[in-house]
Amino acid sequence: MVGPATAAAQEATGPARQAPERPATGKTLAQRLDELAPAYRQWLAAVSGLITGDELEYFLALTQDYQRDAFMEAFWEPRDPEPMTRRNELRDRWQQVRDEAGGLPLDDPRFILYLLNGPPGAYSLPDGRPVARCFSKTRELEIWFYGGSERTNRRFPVIFYRRSAGVPYQVYRPGDAVRPIQRSGGLPTTDIQALCADELLRYAAGEITRLGGYQQLIDEILTPPRPSPEWLSNLSLATTKLPEGAATIAVRAEIDFPARRQSRTAVRVLLAVPVGEAPGRRFDDRPFHNFDVAGEVIRDGRLFESFRYRFEGETPQGAEAIPLGFTRYLRPGPLTLRLLLQDVFSGLYAQVVRELTVPSPEGLPEDPGESLLAVLGGPPAAAGAPVGPSLRLNAPPGAGLAGPVRFTARAEGELDKVTFFLDERPVFTLRRPPWSAELNLGPSPAPHRVRVVGFVGERQVASDEIWLNQGAARFRVRLIEPRSGGIYPGSLTARVEVETPDGQRPERVELYVGEELRATFTEPPLSTVLRLSGAEPAVVRAVAYLPGGGSAEDAVLVNAAGPTEVVDVRLVEIPVLVVDGRGEPILDLAMNDFRLTDEGRPQTLQRLVGPGQAPLQAALLIDTSASMQDSLREVTAAATRFVGAALASPEVRLAVLSFADRLRAETGFGDRPAELERALAGLVARGETTLWDSIAEAAASFGEAPGQRALVLFTDGADE
């Protein structure tokens, strides 16, 4: 790789080997806390009533300040009492409560009570006097009165007292002997009405005795919300920290800065993974790889951005190394790039850490969207660039289009004619440029599909399309390259364009050659090089998925010898019950016993299935949340055995679905064991568990599938 701004280096972690276990420090908790910077000690003290033992241990095991800062930021999200609102009420309260609570010690139960329940008040004594908080004049004792709180509607008092100097206050519970020490300092209030008389203490103790379930009530109002333990697992899985005891492999890393995008510089990264160290797995006697790459950009000692890529597909025969490439667009200046690569099939890891200085974008060429392609396959021309003419249909400006609207197509290469289609009806055919036509969209705005097709002779050689008046709900994926009917001997450049509702980012975009998944993108640019089997005809598909569910697909046929045409074909299942004069079902019927018409037009029957002969479609729904980290291999092994047993019947079709934060379709319904087993082997545990939502979505995924349906669930059963 060459260029005026190139930084290339190699990361050789040696042959697969076991990383050393972190030695036991033998240090006390106090000693480990003393090793932290003052800011981190102060933060731990401030959340001492909220942080769990596992969270504290995780925090103390972190080695980088940017990791500690990221933990502190993420700490509050799983504790948000109202996650559907924009603010985190508990965090806001925590930030204010220390001043409002009068500087109470952070490990004091009074601080926790105030934090979780708000200030006392809204309480009236039997004589009608309002009371909120009162203090003993001579002893270390105080009483808080709640007429209800943010965690309960019940009325209750709480008595706090201190038995000796230097220890926190404690909560009085029925049966305790209240013997507080003498007050050594000044009174905590100057309001004489806030001082407790002895009869008020007797009243509060009596109320506590009369209240049913007081012990349980106190435990509930003083127990901080415990977040799902999955959040800590997810935080760990999202970082580039090498797991303890992980076996590592060697990779080669090359980084350069080939272009710019507006005010940012393209940082192009290529990881070359030797096949000898990560051989992957074989399915249908063909080698496949599956890599997960987590990345972090640290700038000025803080986590600037994090990202993740997934690379999976067939490993080229005879290849010495598997190239994994991506591009990030970053501002100029010094930074640290950290990468953690996981071979999903084998569980091996590689870690890459680079200190970089990103150059200024000035003087660099504008990125045409092909930086990644040059890494993976050389210049675009060497990667199966389009052969022959191309067309690009320009969308007219404005929304809610109606009436006569002019459409213009830009062509590259020679065309004999161009036909404009409106909703699949040919409207105009032009035989010389400019390729421009006026189409009547009707008296009022309505959804329309406009398509333009270019011909050389009578052979279709280029096409493009746009959708109009789709509104915010539009979701569309389009293969910019390759073009339908193009000739691509050996390889091609695939570029995808996605339009989503309200501009939201798709969860992922998958590229297939035939039924084989070749690449998965979670970040732009949505482009890569796909290798083909010579000049054999092939279908290239792009499938995009929305985070909240839903998918869109586009497909093109390449390397076809003759003209191509797209036809929508649907099979419709029609349940039929035929009974005799007594109302009993008649079962011994054949297809020639039926005649089917649709609005008077005869229809062709494709198949007749009797009772007990209907095909079975079963979806394997696999929990891949973080809580499944230790059991996912066992689960996928069981699911793989299920696949082998179920497909022994020719009438069975299976699909693999996974879920964590949301449902993912890993495969469609099919009967190819290798495809299903490869999807199962590539599952990774990450995310929280949306169990019931995922079951509902998975049940709906069958759509109008004919025959019997079954949903097979593999989960640890914890809905988060």
Side-chain angles (χ1 to χ4, degrees):
M1 304 178 65
V2 295
T6 300
Q10 293 188 351
E11 178 81 357
T13 58
R17 62 184 185 275
Q18 198 73 11
E21 295 283 350
R22 182 170 60 89
T25 61
K27 297 178 180 178
T28 66
L29 175 61
Q31 290 172 325
R32 298 172 70 188
L33 291 171
D34 286 341
E35 293 175 351
L36 295 174
Y40 299 122
R41 292 200 303 271
Q42 293 169 8
W43 183 83
L44 285 176
V47 297
S48 60
L50 300 176
I51 194 167
T52 67
D54 288 343
E55 290 169 340
L56 177 60
E57 184 59 36
Y58 181 90
F59 186 85
L60 293 175
L62 297 175
T63 59
Q64 304 290 328
D65 283 352
Y66 84 89
Q67 295 171 335
R68 299 183 181 102
D69 294 336
F71 178 96
M72 291 161 57
E73 184 65 27
F75 175 83
W76 296 102
E77 183 177 351
R79 291 172 163 81
D80 189 351
E82 299 291 342
M84 300 302 293
T85 63
R86 299 185 63 179
R87 55 187 290 263
N88 187 318
E89 292 78 6
L90 182 63
R91 183 176 188 172
D92 291 349
R93 169 67 58 76
W94 173 81
Q95 291 173 335
Q96 301 170 5
V97 72
R98 284 173 289 179
D99 293 335
E100 293 181 3
L104 293 173
L106 302 179
D107 60 350
D108 194 298
R110 295 172 297 173
F111 177 85
I112 299 299
L113 182 67
Y114 196 105
L115 175 65
L116 300 181
N117 296 268
Y123 195 103
S124 298
L125 295 174
D127 59 7
R129 286 181 297 152
V131 62
R133 182 163 39 181
C134 72
F135 307 89
S136 170
K137 183 177 180 180
T138 59
R139 294 176 293 173
E140 294 280 2
L141 180 145
E142 54 191 82
I143 310 170
W144 294 20
F145 294 89
Y146 282 88
S149 77
E150 295 181 8
R151 305 191 80 185
T152 179
N153 293 324
R154 298 181 64 182
R155 284 168 41 98
F156 61 93
V158 182
I159 301 173
F160 297 98
Y161 65 99
R162 183 154 58 182
R163 291 180 181 273
S164 59
V167 300
Y169 271 70
Q170 64 186 80
V171 177
Y172 167 80
R173 296 173 183 268
D176 286 357
V178 182
R179 297 190 182 91
I181 61 172
Q182 293 294 315
R183 192 176 291 280
S184 58
L187 287 172
T189 178
T190 58
D191 183 1
I192 193 170
Q193 295 183 359
L195 297 180
C196 297
D198 288 342
E199 64 271 15
L200 200 53
L201 173 60
R202 288 193 295 271
Y203 167 77
E207 283 293 293
I208 289 172
T209 301
R210 284 189 292 272
L211 282 173
Y214 186 80
Q215 290 273 24
Q216 181 180 354
L217 173 66
I218 285 295
D219 289 339
E220 290 176 356
I221 63 176
L222 287 176
T223 300
R226 290 302 185 226
S228 162
E230 285 184 335
W231 92 268
L232 200 58
S233 299
N234 282 315
L235 183 66
S236 176
L237 293 170
T239 70
T240 60
K241 182 182 178 184
L242 187 68
E244 293 182 13
T248 59
I249 58 176
V251 300
R252 186 176 70 253
E254 297 182 0
I255 304 171
D256 70 348
F257 317 98
R260 64 180 172 86
R261 177 172 290 180
Q262 298 178 354
S263 62
R264 299 201 173 197
T265 301
V267 181
R268 186 170 58 177
V269 180
L270 173 65
L271 303 176
V273 184
V275 173
E277 297 202 21
R281 289 182 58 176
R282 302 186 73 86
F283 300 92
D284 272 347
D285 202 31
R286 293 154 57 197
F288 289 86
H289 59 265
N290 193 318
F291 296 103
D292 190 81
V293 178
E296 295 174 328
V297 175
I298 296 92
R299 192 187 291 273
D300 299 327
R302 299 189 67 83
L303 182 63
F304 177 73
E305 71 171 16
S306 58
F307 52 89
R308 185 174 296 275
Y309 291 98
R310 188 73 171 268
F311 301 91
E312 51 190 318
E314 187 173 358
T315 304
Q317 296 286 349
E320 295 183 358
I322 303 167
L324 314 176
F326 60 88
T327 302
R328 306 298 300 177
Y329 299 92
L330 302 173
R331 296 189 182 93
L335 57 83
T336 301
L337 176 66
R338 298 175 61 94
L339 303 173
L340 182 67
L341 177 146
Q342 179 188 5
D343 181 356
V344 176
F345 286 154
S346 69
L348 300 173
Y349 288 85
Q351 192 175 53
V352 176
V353 180
R354 292 286 181 271
E355 301 293 337
L356 304 175
T357 298
V358 178
S360 169
E362 294 184 10
L364 295 175
E366 182 69 21
D367 189 350
E370 297 174 349
S371 299
L372 175 58
L373 308 185
V375 170
L376 293 176
V387 178
S390 64
L391 272 175
R392 185 64 182 265
L393 184 59
N394 295 324
L401 298 173
V405 177
R406 180 160 293 277
F407 295 84
T408 301
R410 181 170 56 86
E412 295 183 3
E414 295 295 326
L415 295 172
D416 291 336
K417 63 179 180 180
V418 170
T419 298
F420 285 80
F421 293 78
L422 177 61
D423 300 326
E424 292 307 305
R425 292 184 299 104
V427 179
F428 286 105
T429 296
L430 306 174
R431 298 190 178 274
R432 63 175 180 270
W435 311 115
S436 178
E438 189 174 82
L439 307 181
N440 191 336
L441 304 182
S444 60
H448 293 287
R449 179 190 184 191
V450 178
R451 188 161 65 97
V452 61
V453 178
F455 297 84
V456 172
E458 296 302 317
R459 183 171 183 266
Q460 176 184 327
V461 295
S463 66
D464 195 17
E465 67 181 37
I466 57 176
W467 292 80
L468 305 174
N469 302 332
Q470 296 294 298
R474 177 175 56 195
F475 179 31
R476 186 168 70 105
V477 61
R478 187 160 66 102
L479 278 162
I480 305 296
E481 299 178 30
R483 60 172 176 77
S484 182
I487 305 300
Y488 304 85
S491 64
L492 57 83
T493 293
R495 297 176 60 196
V496 183
E497 179 183 88
V498 180
E499 295 181 60
T500 59
D502 300 321
Q504 62 177 298
R505 175 177 292 183
E507 180 192 63
R508 71 188 189 280
V509 177
E510 298 176 342
L511 279 172
Y512 293 80
V513 175
E515 296 301 319
E516 296 181 6
L517 179 64
R518 294 293 185 86
T520 301
F521 300 100
T522 57
E523 301 278 347
L526 307 178
S527 55
T528 190
V529 170
L530 301 178
R531 294 177 176 84
L532 304 177
S533 299
E536 294 294 319
V539 175
V540 178
R541 293 192 299 128
V543 186
Y545 297 88
L546 288 178
S551 64
E553 179 174 336
D554 190 22
V556 298
L557 176 64
V558 299
N559 294 343
T564 61
E565 185 175 359
V566 178
V567 179
D568 289 331
V569 178
R570 288 202 312 148
L571 282 178
V572 178
E573 182 186 42
I574 303 177
V576 176
L577 175 63
V578 182
V579 297
D580 59 20
R582 296 175 300 175
E584 297 294 330
I586 302 174
L587 304 179
D588 55 343
L589 298 172
M591 275 208 298
N592 56 14
D593 294 320
F594 293 87
R595 184 168 62 90
L596 178 66
T597 61
D598 182 7
E599 296 184 350
R601 295 188 298 270
Q603 303 295 315
T604 301
L605 293 176
Q606 297 290 334
R607 191 180 184 195
L608 180 65
V609 178
Q613 300 173 340
L616 169 65
Q617 301 218 58
L620 308 186
L621 182 58
I622 314 293
D623 184 351
T624 57
S625 61
S627 63
M628 296 287 289
Q629 176 76 6
D630 295 333
S631 56
L632 188 57
R633 284 187 178 274
E634 182 180 355
V635 164
T636 54
T640 301
R641 293 193 297 272
F642 181 94
V643 167
L647 292 184
S649 170
E651 295 296 327
V652 174
R653 297 293 182 269
L654 301 178
V656 175
L657 309 177
S658 67
F659 72 95
D661 301 281
R662 59 186 63 91
L663 186 73
R664 290 172 54 105
E666 304 292 343
T667 73
F669 287 96
D671 60 354
R672 298 175 57 190
E675 180 184 356
L676 297 162
E677 291 169 7
R678 182 156 65 96
L680 290 169
L683 297 178
V684 176
R686 186 178 298 113
E688 294 191 354
T689 311
T690 55
L691 178 60
W692 306 119
D693 291 345
S694 298
I695 290 175
E697 290 184 48
S701 70
F702 290 95
E704 298 180 357
Q708 306 173 80
R709 308 170 190 179
L711 190 62
V712 184
L713 176 65
F714 297 81
T715 179
D716 58 9
D719 181 76
E720 301 296 345

